[in-house]
Amino acid sequence: MRSGSTRGAALAVLLCAVAVLLLGACGTEAAGRGTSPSDAASPAATALRWTLSAPTRTQINGAEIGADRRTVTITVEVPSGPNPCVRDLEAKLTEPVGNTVPVQVTFVSPSGDRSSGCSKTTTARARVKLPEPLGERELVVGYPGAVFTAEGAHLPALRLCGDLGCTPAATGCTAPSYDQALKAVGVPAHTYRDAEHCDGRWLVLDFSWRTGPVCGDTTNGACTSRLGDRWFFKAGKSGWKPFFRTAEGGCQDVRDREPAFPTALCASLEPLAPSLHPNYSTTTTEAPSP
């Protein structure tokens, strides 16, 4: 009887000891957020991952040229936070292409790791020295590049060029100006012009583009089929501005939209063939918002 009591007491002591260990383990897990003390202290569990990065085109804010016309200082947006977020910021020359001077700006940052806290941005500057004065060449920073030029700039700041380049074509009845008009309405790649009616202030463009699979066999009907469109433009300070689109011929629709549009440019317009014109809910469309 006493032997059974002794075994029962020993079992009770053992169960109590196991309970203490389990409680102790629970306490360790809560304090260490699910990791053991050795894991919590491990450098691999706490170290941030620094990776090579580069500013995008919209994060390149400006460029200045020094008095020697060779030293260029580039201002960019970089990650920022409560702890260091950037190191090894530098600008390097790459292989020149034509009349351009390409520069690549890079830095190392842990901003890709959310735990880094690098969720804000700040401005920083990187400097590079050109092998010779910039002159009339264009400075291209990054890829796709932000393009700068000294032409027409308020030095020392270089002028940031637009989507149409540093010297866009003058608005007029010329092929480069028509290309600018097509870009203004976001035409598909490989679009070609079918007809232009222009007087220098007003413009009508008929254009079309291939449809079907990509191929080089022009005997294939799927490769020669096409769609077409017609847009009306008015000259603006920075190029042709689209204001109206229609599949109808003649002047009625466009003059209802813009009474000043000259009849000389629209009287001879034939309706676009239904097989060419894209299907819209109506035959007339307002110009896209700028």
Side-chain angles (χ1 to χ4, degrees):
M1 191 72 176
R2 181 178 298 173
S3 174
S5 298
T6 301
R7 285 196 298 271
L11 181 59
V13 170
L14 178 61
L15 291 174
C16 288
V18 171
V20 169
L21 290 173
L22 290 174
L23 289 173
C26 291
T28 302
E29 184 174 354
R33 299 183 183 273
T35 60
S36 67
S38 60
D39 289 339
S42 171
T46 58
L48 294 174
R49 186 175 180 180
W50 291 70
T51 57
L52 185 66
S53 303
T56 63
R57 181 176 179 179
T58 58
Q59 294 169 328
I60 300 168
N61 293 340
E64 294 187 355
I65 191 81
D68 60 357
R69 297 297 185 264
R70 293 177 57 192
T71 303
V72 177
T73 303
I74 302 167
T75 304
V76 298
E77 290 183 13
V78 295
S80 176
N83 299 311
C85 291
V86 172
R87 65 188 184 201
D88 300 333
L89 174 67
E90 60 180 349
K92 288 185 177 180
L93 287 168
T94 59
E95 190 68 26
V97 179
N99 196 43
T100 65
V101 179
V103 173
Q104 183 64 56
V105 177
T106 58
F107 57 87
V108 180
S109 174
S111 57
D113 185 344
R114 292 185 178 182
S115 64
S116 68
C118 300
S119 58
K120 298 182 179 180
T121 60
T122 187
T123 57
R125 291 174 175 81
R127 183 173 295 174
V128 62
K129 193 160 188 176
L130 310 182
E132 57 186 8
L134 179 63
E136 297 180 354
R137 293 177 298 167
E138 296 172 356
L139 180 77
V140 182
V141 183
Y143 183 84
V147 184
F148 298 88
T149 180
E151 182 182 353
H154 298 287
L155 300 178
L158 297 175
R159 177 170 63 89
L160 176 62
C161 303
D163 293 336
L164 298 174
C166 296
T167 54
T171 305
C173 303
T174 63
S177 189
Y178 297 152
D179 291 340
Q180 176 269 312
L182 291 177
K183 289 182 180 180
V185 293
V187 299
H190 309 300
T191 295
Y192 57 94
R193 301 188 306 275
D194 296 324
E196 309 92 12
H197 304 270
C198 176
D199 67 359
R201 184 182 177 192
W202 304 93
L203 169 67
V204 187
L205 276 183
D206 289 355
F207 53 91
S208 57
W209 58 95
R210 300 287 184 190
T211 62
V214 177
C215 60
D217 182 8
T218 57
T219 63
N220 186 329
C223 297
T224 57
S225 62
R226 58 195 178 111
L227 294 175
D229 216 346
R230 173 180 289 156
W231 273 95
F232 295 78
F233 303 81
K234 183 177 182 178
K237 291 183 178 179
S238 58
W240 289 109
K241 303 295 183 183
F243 70 89
F244 190 62
R245 173 172 61 179
T246 183
E248 300 298 324
C251 295
Q252 184 65 51
D253 286 346
V254 67
R255 285 180 64 84
D256 285 346
R257 174 67 175 84
E258 177 53 76
F261 193 86
T263 57
L265 298 183
C266 57
S268 63
L269 295 177
E270 296 290 336
L272 288 179
S275 61
L276 290 180
H277 193 68
N279 292 323
Y280 301 117
S281 57
T282 62
T283 57
T284 61
T285 305
E286 300 292 332
S289 300

